[in-house]
Amino acid sequence: MSKQEDLIEKYIQNRLSPEERVMVDELLHNDIDFQKELTLQANLKKAIRKEDDDRFRDLISELESKAKIEKPITRRSYVKWLAAASVLLFVGLTYFLTMDQKVSTDDLFASYFEPYRNVVQPLQRGDGYQDEKTLAFLAYERGEYDTAISLFSNLYSTTKEPYYLFYKANALLKLEKPSEAVPLLLEHLKTNDTLTEKTTWYLALAYLQMNDKPNARITLEKVISEGKYKTTEAKKLLEAVN
């Protein structure tokens, strides 16, 4: 087994050491083949779990069908059936209680995501002249995200101010377009403005909205290790995602 295969296996089993988590984080950001393989293996595990769940439901259904058509049974057979049914009932209750506790990534995203407030352009209503920057953040605050995205794109093209990437990504997440937000957030992480320390949190939420749990977990762990922004929320969210 290669080192990368070992890392993927440990990641899926949640057995990575702190040093190995750093290695996985670096590989996810720098090695597209590793990222694809990890995602593939994680999805494969999910599919196998679902298949097992389906088999369990089929077993319950089969036993119920047999119980309806079988002739009256002896006391000994009845005791055996009752014992088997008790075991299945216990397993079934455990299964359904566990299933009930699972929260979808959409629900988790909705619970934790809130577009970051405008701290760049103080807005004063009633001004006669409003430049493009003011109009962009005014649209953002009003929830007119399509307009804001267009204006942020124009402004970044002309000024290269990195905070436009951050706010455009937030608007895209609000419009449920995480695949478009992720590249912007990754690009913003390469900069060093006053908003960069918040970007990792929103990147984790973007992965969550994409139902990309492997990258969401890696990024949440980075939020926790950095300890700068939303650390408490990241810990709770990581527990829910695992």
Side-chain angles (χ1 to χ4, degrees):
M1 179 183 292
S2 69
K3 180 61 177 177
Q4 289 193 3
E5 290 173 339
D6 182 54
L7 287 172
I8 289 173
E9 182 175 335
K10 286 183 177 179
Y11 176 83
I12 292 175
Q13 297 174 355
N14 200 24
R15 295 190 296 107
L16 288 174
S17 67
E19 294 78 11
E20 288 171 331
R21 291 184 188 279
V22 173
M23 293 175 63
V24 170
D25 187 29
E26 291 177 352
L27 285 167
L28 282 171
H29 285 87
N30 300 316
D31 189 332
I32 188 65
D33 291 332
F34 178 83
Q35 184 184 104
K36 289 180 179 178
E37 183 63 22
L38 188 147
T39 302
L40 174 65
Q41 294 299 328
N43 289 337
L44 185 60
K45 180 184 177 184
K46 187 190 303 181
I48 292 172
R49 185 186 300 123
K50 183 180 185 302
E51 183 178 352
D52 290 340
D53 294 343
D54 290 340
R55 286 176 179 172
F56 174 77
R57 284 191 290 270
D58 291 342
L59 176 61
I60 293 292
S61 178
E62 182 181 348
L63 287 173
E64 288 178 345
S65 298
K66 286 183 178 179
K68 290 177 181 178
I69 63 175
E70 283 181 353
K71 296 178 180 179
I73 56 179
T74 64
R75 178 176 177 80
R76 180 178 296 178
S77 298
Y78 176 78
V79 171
K80 289 182 179 179
W81 164 258
L82 184 61
S86 298
V87 172
L88 286 173
L89 178 61
F90 174 76
V91 174
L93 285 172
T94 303
Y95 169 82
F96 285 113
L97 285 173
T98 303
M99 288 297 294
D100 189 55
Q101 291 173 357
K102 291 180 181 177
V103 182
S104 72
T105 52
D106 288 338
D107 290 337
L108 289 172
F109 175 84
S111 298
Y112 283 90
F113 174 71
E114 182 178 354
Y116 192 73
R117 68 188 185 279
N118 167 25
V119 297
V120 172
Q121 182 75 355
L123 300 179
Q124 296 180 356
R125 275 72 174 178
D127 288 351
Y129 171 74
Q130 294 177 325
D131 61 12
E132 189 174 24
K133 182 177 182 180
T134 300
L135 291 172
F137 281 99
L138 185 59
Y140 182 81
E141 288 193 359
R142 286 175 173 173
E144 299 168 357
Y145 295 111
D146 285 314
T147 300
I149 288 169
S150 178
L151 292 170
F152 287 147
S153 296
N154 293 339
L155 287 161
Y156 180 71
S157 296
T158 56
T159 68
K160 299 303 179 184
E161 287 287 354
Y163 53 74
Y164 289 125
L165 297 172
F166 177 79
Y167 281 103
K168 181 180 176 181
N170 268 260
L172 286 165
L173 289 176
K174 189 64 178 178
L175 293 179
E176 300 181 359
K177 297 180 179 180
S179 60
E180 296 180 37
V182 166
L184 300 179
L185 293 167
L186 290 173
E187 186 66 25
H188 188 250
L189 279 173
K190 298 175 183 178
T191 68
N192 189 26
D193 65 11
T194 57
L195 296 171
T196 306
E197 66 183 31
K198 281 92 173 167
T199 305
T200 309
W201 166 252
Y202 284 96
L203 180 60
L205 292 179
Y207 285 132
L208 190 66
Q209 194 178 37
M210 294 170 66
N211 199 30
D212 184 351
K213 289 186 178 181
N215 275 325
R217 283 193 289 264
I218 289 290
T219 312
L220 285 169
E221 287 164 358
K222 190 172 182 180
V223 172
I224 295 167
S225 66
E226 289 174 348
K228 295 179 180 179
Y229 182 70
K230 296 287 187 180
T231 306
T232 301
E233 290 87 344
K235 289 178 181 178
K236 294 178 180 178
L237 185 52
L238 184 59
E239 288 181 8
V241 173
N242 281 333

